[in-house]
Amino acid sequence: MPDLDPVFERLAAMLREHAEGLVATRDDADQLYLETAQDPAEFFGAVMRKKAQVAYHLMPVYRDPGLLADLGPALRKRMQGKSCFNFTRVDDDLFAELAVLTARCRAAQDAQPAGR
């Protein structure tokens, strides 16, 4: 079984960089879950430690698949479903691309009207 601690820590730190103005409804050793502060709150993203991988969720890509237009093939291979990326080890290149995507998602989230 892979050591998922470094993977979780890096991905959680990446998501926390975009947490200003969001609400952490869970933030512990196994999960970081961020929602908007709007009423009603909307899911933004999460990092979840699973049994054999760490899942990184970005809900803005589910609502707007156009945010994935520049996604490279290696990161696309990490996708499961429409808004989740799974990792079993730290990959600096993929994490750098994911950081750019996360920033793009945060900008899109901030640009949408409240209550959407």
Side-chain angles (χ1 to χ4, degrees):
M1 185 101 64
D3 179 12
L4 298 176
D5 290 343
V7 180
F8 180 85
E9 290 166 11
R10 286 278 300 273
L11 292 173
M14 182 188 313
L15 191 58
R16 280 188 190 99
E17 288 180 25
H18 302 281
E20 185 176 337
L22 298 175
V23 177
T25 57
R26 184 163 175 194
D27 188 356
D28 57 40
D30 293 318
Q31 189 177 69
L32 170 62
Y33 191 99
L34 299 177
E35 293 183 351
T36 66
Q38 300 168 349
D39 184 27
E42 292 183 358
F43 174 53
F44 174 76
V47 180
M48 301 171 162
R49 184 190 313 261
K50 303 287 187 173
K51 190 176 194 179
Q53 64 201 12
V54 176
Y56 190 91
H57 297 267
L58 285 172
M59 189 51 99
V61 301
Y62 182 83
R63 289 189 294 268
D64 181 3
L67 291 166
L68 298 169
D70 297 334
L71 198 67
L75 187 55
R76 191 171 295 276
K77 286 174 72 173
R78 298 289 182 175
M79 283 189 79
Q80 177 181 358
K82 295 181 181 182
S83 64
C84 180
F85 301 86
N86 292 318
F87 299 93
T88 56
R89 63 182 177 83
V90 171
D91 185 313
D92 291 331
D93 292 337
L94 292 181
F95 285 12
E97 185 178 0
L98 189 59
V100 170
L101 177 61
T102 303
R104 194 175 326 136
C105 287
R106 184 58 204 263
Q109 181 82 32
D110 289 346
Q112 79 178 11
R116 179 191 172 273

